């Protein structure tokens, strides 16, 4: 799944328009911005001694125009505010509208920081994709997870994929004028009728729009969600030939169909070695031609195909790092395994892995790193043949929350993680009644401790006893003590449970809205949040081990 710009998606999902909000709860500026006929960009910070500061702007004010042109998003701002003298429309803290001229030195920043990157509404999807993951989510998830955006601006700014089926003539003109390129485009199939069956009645509109944009010099990265018996095999070959004939398509990423248990139409993907290798074989001739003619493989199979095809031998079969270039398809699951394998080999060679093992051994600790089932086939073997053997032990968690073939670490939820930790820590020896009452807690159920590990500034690098800040979390006597939390395995080795930061969003909650503290309460054990890559998480593990009594 792509990484969505949190502020914009959360805002769109929680409140379609501030006009619908309780006016009594709005500030004067917010009420005026809600009533404004056009978009308004909320200012959240002003750089000291900048032109914005000199003009008297403060957080909470809004910008509405630049030189009379509406300010729809951050792209407009960068485009319209490129000169060194501009006239901006504004709404001040009192709700009064006006205009002021700003001037800066060449190369100087204007000094504004805005709330998000979109200042109007998110452009929504109007397709009926048979494979849509958002339509497969369980009931009761937070609204932002099921908001189906199809916004070309987020494609450019944040790497989300768009179908272009909702593109209006004025949108096309703007993309061309402002050179909003490259875009990430959901292709799926080039044959018109097949594409219509896959994404709906507007499929032809999106394909025609793509051709017009390519003809105007706009570049694109294409994605194909591959469905067994639908757009694979000969259909995939035809789609790749179609894309190859358009030099503006810089590359094509192929990802396997993902499905959950919360639907009844989809049951099969490329999970068997034979099916996965079949896809790798189809794209091989295209990669060979692309390397010879363009110096790049051009078409990439998602890591899942290689893991499903080769299992524990994946590191020997995954393409080399040179194939992935700058890893610009990383968020689509393309290149993650290669990057991880290379980093793991690096830390073994430079001694970092050995130092981490020594730090854990010195405190009689075993680090239990939480991963999804997608990592298990090769990660266990890599660690077993490294200095970390016996000290870094992956804790593989099955994704029962989503079910289906969902097995990547980033889609794990607390409802699966907490019971797995509880079982490993021996807490399941409690009575069935006690276990039933404590396996899962509501977010913030322990009001005294629930915010101890949650921050709107993001959770990456945060730990229960923060690596960078020992005082980051509440350690009041109302919360369980470290000695109560730290679990031990038979034989006396204590376990250090580690959660990859990718499990949490920028607000520090999981996909099922649980905080670190919620997970600790449900698991009955202390957990720490660390980075996702060996070069980053091993130093964090060393610090955690050294801080242990």
């Amino acid at each position: 799944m792509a990484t969505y710009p949190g502020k914009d998606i959360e805002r769109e999902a929680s409140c379609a328009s501030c006009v619908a909000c309780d006016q009594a709860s709005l500030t004067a500026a917010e009420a005026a911005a809600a009533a404004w006929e056009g978009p308004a960009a909320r200012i959240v910070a002003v750089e000291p001694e900048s032109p914005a500061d000199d003009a008297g702007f403060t957080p909470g004010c809004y910008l509405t125009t630049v030189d009379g042109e509406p300010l729809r998003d951050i792209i407009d701002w960068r485009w319209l505010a490129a000169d060194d003298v501009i006239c901006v429309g504004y709404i001040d803290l009192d709700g009064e509208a006006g205009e002021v001229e700003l001037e800066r030195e060449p190369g100087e920043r204007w000094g504004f920081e805005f709330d998000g990157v979109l200042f109007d509404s998110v452009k929504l999807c109007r397709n009926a994709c048979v494979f849509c993951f958002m339509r497969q989510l369980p009931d009761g998830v937070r609204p932002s997870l099921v908001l189906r955006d199809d916004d070309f601006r987020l494609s450019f700014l944040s790497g989300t994929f768009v179908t272009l089926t909702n593109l209006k003539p004025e949108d096309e003109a703007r993309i061309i004028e402002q050179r909003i390129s490259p875009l990430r485009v959901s292709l799926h199939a080039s044959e018109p009728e097949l594409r219509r069956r896959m994404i709906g009645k507007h499929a032809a509109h999106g394909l025609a729009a793509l051709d017009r944009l390519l003809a105007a010099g706009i570049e694109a990265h294409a994605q194909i969600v591959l469905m067994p018996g639908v757009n694979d095999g000969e259909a995939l070959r035809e789609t790749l030939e179609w894309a190859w004939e358009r030099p503006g398509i810089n590359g094509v990423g192929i990802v396997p169909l993902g499905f959950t248990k919360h639907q009844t139409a989809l049951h099969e993907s490329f999970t068997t070695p034979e099916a996965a290798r079949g896809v790798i074989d189809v794209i091989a001739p295209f990669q060979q031609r692309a390397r010879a003619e363009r110096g790049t493989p051009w078409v990439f199979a998602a890591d899942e195909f290689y893991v499903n095809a080769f299992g524990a031998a994946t590191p020997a079969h995954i393409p080399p790092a040179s194939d992935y270039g700058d890893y610009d398809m990383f968020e689509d699951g393309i290149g993650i395994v290669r990057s991880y394998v290379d980093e793991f080999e690096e830390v073994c060679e430079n001694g970092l892995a050995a130092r981490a093992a020594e730090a854990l051994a010195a405190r009689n600790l075993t680090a239990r790193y939480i991963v999804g089932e997608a990592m298990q086939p090769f990660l266990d073997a890599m660690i077993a043949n490294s200095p970390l053997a016996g000290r870094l032990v992956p804790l593989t968690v099955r994704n029962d929350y989503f079910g289906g073939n969902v097995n990547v670490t980033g889609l794990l939820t607390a409802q699966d993680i907490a019971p797995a930790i509880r079982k490993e820590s021996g807490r399941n020896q409690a009575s069935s009644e006690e276990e039933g009452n404590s396996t899962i807690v509501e977010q913030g159920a322990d009001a005294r401790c629930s915010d101890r590990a949650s921050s709107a500034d993001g959770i990456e690098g945060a730990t229960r006893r923060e690596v960078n800040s020992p005082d980051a979390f509440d350690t009041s006597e109302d919360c369980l003590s470290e000695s109560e939390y730290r679990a031990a395995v038979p034989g006396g080795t204590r376990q250090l449970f580690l959660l990859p930061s990718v499990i949490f969003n920028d607000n520090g909650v999981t996909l099922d809205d649980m905080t670190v503290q919620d997970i600790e309460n449900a698991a009955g054990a202390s957990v720490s949040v660390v980075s996702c890559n060996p070069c980053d998480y091993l130093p964090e593990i060393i610090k955690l081990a050294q801080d242990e009594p």
Side-chain angles (χ1 to χ4, degrees), residues 342-374:
D342 287 352
E343 280 206 18
F344 197 85
E345 291 177 351
E346 178 183 343
V347 298
C348 289
E349 293 173 0
N350 65 20
L352 181 57
R355 292 195 297 276
E358 292 169 1
L360 290 166
R363 295 295 192 274
N364 198 30
L365 288 169
T366 299
R368 304 303 308 276
Y369 192 75
I370 306 297
V371 296
E373 291 180 317

Side-chain angles (χ1 to χ4, degrees), residues 7-9 11-12 15-17 37-42 63 70-74 76 115-123 151-154 171 174:
K7 288 184 178 180
D8 302 284
I9 296 297
R11 182 169 56 241
E12 185 74 18
C15 183
S17 170
E37 293 184 357
R42 182 171 178 267
L63 292 190
L71 204 55
R72 296 164 290 189
D73 45 57
I74 198 70
D76 268 348
D115 183 20
V117 296
L118 303 184
F119 310 143
D120 58 5
S121 299
V122 175
K123 298 180 187 297
D151 197 315
F152 69 88
R153 300 168 300 174
L154 297 183
D171 294 327
R174 181 190 176 192

Side-chain angles (χ1 to χ4, degrees), residues 162-302:
V162 292
T163 63
L164 305 178
T165 58
N166 62 355
L167 219 57
K168 300 176 180 178
E170 55 266 34
D171 294 327
E172 287 188 38
R174 181 190 176 192
I175 291 170
I176 294 169
E177 179 191 8
Q178 295 185 343
R179 310 308 295 174
I180 301 177
S181 175
L183 297 175
R184 294 181 179 266
V185 179
S186 297
L187 179 56
H188 308 316
S190 59
E191 199 280 316
E193 178 58 23
L194 174 56
R195 193 167 195 265
R196 186 196 65 78
R197 293 201 307 270
M198 291 187 69
I199 73 172
K201 63 182 181 180
H202 304 294
H205 178 88
L207 216 54
L210 175 59
D211 263 336
R212 289 191 295 269
L213 293 174
L214 292 171
I218 301 301
E219 297 181 346
H221 298 289
Q223 183 191 71
I224 296 172
V225 174
L226 206 62
M227 301 181 66
V230 178
N231 61 334
D232 59 344
E234 189 57 34
L236 176 58
R237 293 185 182 91
E238 291 178 6
T239 301
L240 293 177
E241 287 289 358
W242 182 93
W244 179 261
E245 294 170 357
R246 290 156 173 79
I249 297 180
N250 294 334
V252 179
I254 302 175
V255 299
L257 168 70
F259 59 89
T260 77
K261 67 182 182 182
H262 304 284
Q263 50 80 46
T264 58
L266 306 170
H267 307 283
E268 181 185 4
S269 191
F270 301 87
T271 54
T272 67
E274 295 75 20
R277 289 178 188 175
V279 175
I280 295 170
D281 290 342
V282 167
I283 70 171
F286 292 91
Q287 293 177 318
Q288 184 177 3
R289 177 172 63 176
R291 287 190 182 96
E293 298 183 18
R294 300 184 184 178
T296 171
W298 182 74
V299 57
F300 302 85

Side-chain angles (χ1 to χ4, degrees), residues 148-161:
R148 298 187 301 126
D149 63 285
D150 199 11
D151 197 315
F152 69 88
R153 300 168 300 174
L154 297 183
S155 177
F156 174 69
L157 293 167
S158 305
T160 62
F161 279 88

